[in-house]
């Protein structure tokens, strides 16, 4: 049994008090180039040594959970895009799976495989932005230009399939919004064919670079026990030696049919998180290839006329379809009472949606458990005793998105 | 089919280490049990929540995923505090929940068991106004300190387009 370390300094009061003549309180943020969004860190330093890091969050005030309570179930899907602008598809998927679990609905195989394919593209998209900005925070600008070149192609694919580059809203409760367009699979194939050598290119630029190595190795130590006690998930936890991935261990949306490795490292530092995300990108490419090779034929929506909108053509020619269309759009669809918690492996770690239904057409409560929120708590443990410049490297390594943190 | 009576659920899932540990510790702590949509929910007496969390953790459910609340206004007890706990070894989840009344919404903090509950409980305190006894730093986390009211309560006024 793992011994749990109630990490003392995290549990101390919020207000930082200078302990004398030698320490100083420094405010990093609320807006800082190394954070994706608004985050203020109150840092107590002694010279350049960090004694304490206290995150101060809550600048966005999106009110997203409250807004969900006023919407029909299907109207919440576009809201979930706004949680995390780097992985909208993961949020779509997690919410749709939760509602489908409440409805106890079966999804056609092709829709499930398409969801897997798009989620792995989302992971690649998110990790490319992470790598570029993480390298830029530390001072290597070239990688940023390279990764955004490849990310652009992924965004073009998203635009091709859903009509939107970032706020895709492509998933629906019961399947997908539309059939994938005619050359969609060709474009994905062309992309994932070049990606492995591009990943090699980034690795060649960074891994042998002595500045990169010395800024990353041994920085931001997080033990497995601390990681579990502080709620860390995803790549940061796997970099601490915990071999757990929801895609493999608690599969959803037909992930059990795919072969892939889960990279794990025992180094527990920023370097390990960098290596693990690069490996994850290679594995994602393999999953995409398997999805392309074995993509099943069939419908992309569940056969459930009271929940899933009918095809446009049917709506124009059949009275029943028109009635269902009208009723779903104006009244929504009732969902049986109950509560579910559905978690998926998002690019940043475990993302969970807790949906409570009271039997009406609007969710009684939607709660989003986002990985960045929990991982941010571990910042103090990772930065304590290190230099001020290491704080930037550590924030980059946990791949933070502030939209996930604020409500 | 959901199994809803407490005794039926407890006997059907007697092999679950969380259930057997809780029954071995204090059978009266489990107020209700529910098996619905392949998810196990145990309702725990509000005074027992911290000890119950410790017992469940020692039984192998090692990772606290989430703490959140639901406001069942105007029924009493009004607030439901939900804990989602994962076992990395068993690859299973368990949901503990406790009901808190509205006139004095206090529940024990579980930060001594899982330090990660720190942010989660502050979020629930901020948005629902439920206080966590023994929390080391119970302050608002999202809203400004001087903010009045708790936005996720059902009787908090909503303005604008609906």
């Amino acid at each position: 049994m793992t011994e749990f370390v109630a990490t003392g300094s995290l549990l101390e009061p919020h207000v930082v008090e200078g302990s004398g003549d030698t320490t100083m309180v420094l405010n990093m943020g609320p807006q800082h180039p190394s954070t994706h969004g608004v985050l203020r860190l109150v840092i107590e330093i002694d010279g350049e040594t960090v004694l304490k890091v206290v995150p101060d969050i809550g600048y966005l005030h999106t009110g997203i959970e409250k807004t969900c309570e006023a919407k029909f179930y299907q109207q919440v899907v576009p809201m979930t895009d706004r949680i995390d602008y780097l992985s909208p598809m993961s949020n779509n998927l997690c919410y749709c799976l939760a509602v489908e679990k409440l409805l106890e609905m079966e999804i056609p195989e092709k829709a499930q495989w398409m969801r897997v394919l798009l989620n792995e593209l989302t992971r690649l998209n998110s990790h490319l932005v992470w790598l570029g900005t993480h390298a830029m925070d530390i001072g290597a600008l070239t990688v940023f230009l390279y990764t955004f070149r490849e990310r652009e192609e992924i965004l073009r694919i998203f635009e091709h399939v859903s009509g939107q580059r970032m706020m895709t809203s492509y998933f629906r409760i019961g399947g997908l919004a539309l059939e994938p367009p005619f050359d969609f699979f060709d474009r994905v194939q062309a992309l994932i064919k070049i990606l492995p050598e591009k990943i090699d290119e980034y690795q060649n630029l960074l891994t042998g670079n002595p500045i990169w190595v010395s800024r990353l190795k041994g920085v931001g130590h997080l033990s497995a026990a601390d990681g579990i006690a502080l709620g860390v998930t995803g790549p940061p936890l796997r970099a601490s030696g915990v071999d757990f991935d929801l895609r493999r261990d608690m599969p959803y949306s037909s992930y059990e049919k795919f072969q892939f490795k889960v990279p794990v490292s025992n180094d527990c530092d920023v370097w390990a998180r960098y290596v693990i995300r690069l490996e994850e990108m290679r594995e994602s490419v393999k999953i995409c290839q398997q999805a392309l090779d074995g993509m099943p034929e069939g419908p992309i929506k569940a056969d459930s006329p009271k929940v899933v909108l009918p095809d446009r053509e049917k709506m124009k020619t059949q009275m029943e379809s028109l009635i269902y269309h009208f009723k779903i759009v104006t009244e929504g669809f009732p969902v049986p009472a109950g509560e579910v918690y559905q978690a998926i492996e998002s690019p940043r770690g475990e993302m969970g949606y807790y949906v409570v239904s009271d039997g009406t057409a609007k969710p009684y409560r939607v709660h989003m458990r986002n990985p960045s929120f929990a991982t941010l708590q571990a910042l103090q443990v990772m930065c304590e005793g290190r230099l001020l410049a290491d704080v930037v490297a550590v924030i980059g390594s946990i791949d933070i998105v502030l939209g996930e943190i604020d409500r | 089919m959901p199994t809803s009576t407490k005794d039926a659920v407890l006997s059907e899932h007697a092999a679950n280490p969380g259930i057997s540990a809780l029954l071995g510790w204090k059978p009266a702590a489990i107020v209700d049990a529910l098996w619905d949509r392949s998810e196990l929910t145990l309702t725990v007496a509000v005074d027992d929540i911290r000890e119950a969390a410790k017992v469940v953790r020692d039984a192998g459910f090692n990772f606290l995923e989430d703490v959140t609340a639901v406001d069942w206004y105007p029924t009493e007890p009004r607030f439901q505090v939900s804990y989602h706990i994962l076992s990395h070894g068993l690859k299973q989840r368990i949901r503990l929940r406790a009901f808190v009344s509205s006139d004095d919404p206090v529940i024990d903090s579980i930060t001594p068991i899982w330090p990660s509950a720190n942010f989660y409980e502050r979020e629930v305190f901020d948005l629902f106004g439920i206080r966590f006894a023994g929390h080391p730093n119970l302050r608002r986390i999202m809203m400004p300190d001087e903010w009045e009211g708790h936005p996720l309560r059902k009787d908090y006024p909503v303005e604008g387009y609906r």
Side-chain angles (χ1 to χ4, degrees), chain A residues 390-407:
Chain A
D390 292 338
V391 176
V392 174
V394 170
I395 294 178
S397 78
I398 61 179
D399 191 15
I400 207 162
V401 166
L402 270 298
E404 286 197 325
I405 291 174
D406 281 348
R407 296 277 171 267

Side-chain angles (χ1 to χ4, degrees), chain A residues 30-51:
Chain A
Q31 179 55 271
H32 191 274
S34 79
T35 58
H36 284 243
V38 273
L39 167 71
R40 171 170 164 253
L41 295 176
V42 185
I43 306 174
E44 189 179 4
I45 47 175
D46 181 358
E48 272 199 76
T49 310
V50 175
L51 301 178

Side-chain angles (χ1 to χ4, degrees), chain A residues 11 57-58 61 66 69 101-102 229-230 233 249 337 339 341 343 350 354 364-365 367 369 374 377 405, chain B residues 37 39 62-63 65-66 68-69 71 80 82 91 93 97 115-116 119-120 136 141-142 151-154:
Chain A
L11 302 175
I57 61 177
H61 301 305
K66 186 79 171 174
E69 292 172 8
K101 201 171 179 184
L102 272 172
L230 288 166
T233 48
D249 296 322
E339 50 188 317
Y341 179 83
E350 179 186 318
Y354 176 53
Y364 192 76
R365 170 115 172 84
H367 175 70
R369 183 257 190 245
Q377 300 191 68
I405 291 174
Chain B
R37 297 169 174 99
E39 292 189 11
N62 60 336
F63 187 80
E65 294 178 297
D66 194 27
T68 188
D71 181 5
Q80 170 194 334
S82 303
K91 303 182 179 32
R93 280 200 180 87
R97 62 180 186 183
S116 61
F119 269 27
Y120 304 142
I141 187 167
M142 306 285 178
L152 276 180
R153 286 191 174 186
K154 287 283 178 184

Side-chain angles (χ1 to χ4, degrees), chain A residues 125-394:
Chain A
N125 170 28
S126 173
H127 280 4
L128 283 170
V129 175
W130 155 78
L131 180 62
T133 52
H134 183 35
M136 192 170 67
D137 292 343
I138 293 176
L141 190 67
T142 318
V143 187
F144 174 77
L145 301 172
Y146 283 18
T147 56
F148 268 60
R149 186 183 60 198
E150 271 75 68
R151 175 183 184 248
E152 187 59 30
E153 186 51 37
I154 299 182
L155 290 184
R156 281 200 196 114
I157 287 173
F158 284 172
E159 188 179 14
H160 190 50
V161 72
S162 72
Q164 284 285 319
R165 282 159 60 85
M166 290 171 90
M167 304 301 158
T168 49
S169 302
Y170 180 59
F171 296 170
R172 292 286 183 275
I173 296 159
L176 304 173
L178 299 158
E179 281 280 351
F182 70 100
D183 60 345
F184 169 74
F185 296 113
D186 296 339
R187 289 178 71 163
V188 178
Q189 182 64 62
L191 171 75
I192 61 175
K193 202 173 168 193
I194 58 158
L195 265 179
E197 59 188 87
K198 299 290 182 194
I199 298 170
D200 288 341
E201 200 178 332
Y202 316 141
Q203 205 165 4
N204 291 341
L205 271 170
L206 292 171
T207 303
N209 184 327
I211 301 172
W212 181 254
V213 174
S214 54
R215 286 294 303 274
L216 262 60
K217 277 215 165 139
V219 174
H221 188 271
L222 179 75
S223 69
D226 272 358
I228 288 174
L230 288 166
V232 177
T233 48
L237 191 63
R238 288 193 283 277
S240 296
V242 179
D243 188 7
F244 190 81
D245 188 315
L246 285 165
R247 290 176 293 167
R248 183 196 63 193
D249 296 322
M250 300 174 87
Y252 50 88
S253 192
S254 80
Y255 262 110
E256 66 277 0
K257 295 186 180 129
F258 292 85
Q259 301 293 320
F260 58 97
K261 285 204 298 279
V262 176
V264 180
S265 165
N266 285 316
D267 291 349
C268 310
D269 56 1
V270 176
W271 178 263
R273 284 162 224 148
Y274 155 72
V275 172
I276 278 185
R277 285 209 183 85
L278 275 185
E279 287 305 310
E280 272 191 8
M281 284 163 75
R282 293 182 201 282
E283 295 301 320
S284 286
V285 170
K286 286 182 199 160
I287 297 175
C288 287
Q289 186 64 56
Q290 289 172 43
L292 285 179
D293 292 343
M295 182 64 68
E297 292 295 317
I300 50 145
K301 292 174 184 172
D303 181 20
S304 176
K306 289 187 177 171
V307 173
V308 180
L309 283 181
D311 292 335
R312 199 80 192 157
E313 219 29 60
K314 261 189 176 173
M315 196 196 90
K316 288 177 187 164
T317 52
Q318 294 180 11
M319 197 61 204
E320 290 80 9
S321 295
L322 182 65
I323 292 168
Y324 284 135
H325 186 281
F326 182 75
K327 281 181 81 79
I328 292 171
V329 171
T330 55
E331 296 170 8
F333 48 83
V335 171
E339 50 188 317
V340 293
Y341 179 83
Q342 173 70 44
I344 67 162
E345 190 76 28
S346 89
R348 267 161 282 285
E350 179 186 318
M351 170 187 291
Y353 273 66
Y354 176 53
V355 183
V356 181
S357 168
D358 59 348
T360 62
K362 290 177 179 174
Y364 192 76
R365 170 115 172 84
V366 179
H367 175 70
M368 297 126 182
R369 183 257 190 245
N370 287 115
S372 299
F373 186 68
T375 313
L376 188 63
Q377 300 191 68
L379 197 63
Q380 161 70 19
V381 180
M382 291 193 267
C383 294
E384 208 173 306
R386 304 292 313 182
L387 297 179
L388 186 58
D390 292 338
V391 176
V392 174
V394 170

Side-chain angles (χ1 to χ4, degrees), chain B residues 16-86:
Chain B
N16 185 303
I19 289 186
S20 55
L22 279 173
L23 286 178
W25 166 64
K26 187 175 172 187
I30 304 180
V31 179
D32 200 2
L34 184 67
W35 174 259
D36 186 16
R37 297 169 174 99
S38 314
E39 292 189 11
L40 181 66
T41 309
L42 298 180
T43 308
V44 176
V46 64
D47 298 332
D48 290 328
I49 191 70
R50 186 184 290 163
E51 277 302 304
K54 189 170 187 301
V55 167
V56 169
R57 184 196 78 186
D58 293 341
F61 288 89
N62 60 336
F63 187 80
L64 178 74
E65 294 178 297
D66 194 27
V67 178
T68 188
V70 184
D71 181 5
W72 291 107
Y73 180 76
T75 48
E76 279 296 334
R78 177 173 169 180
F79 298 109
Q80 170 194 334
V81 185
S82 303
Y83 303 84
H84 294 102
I85 304 165
L86 173 75

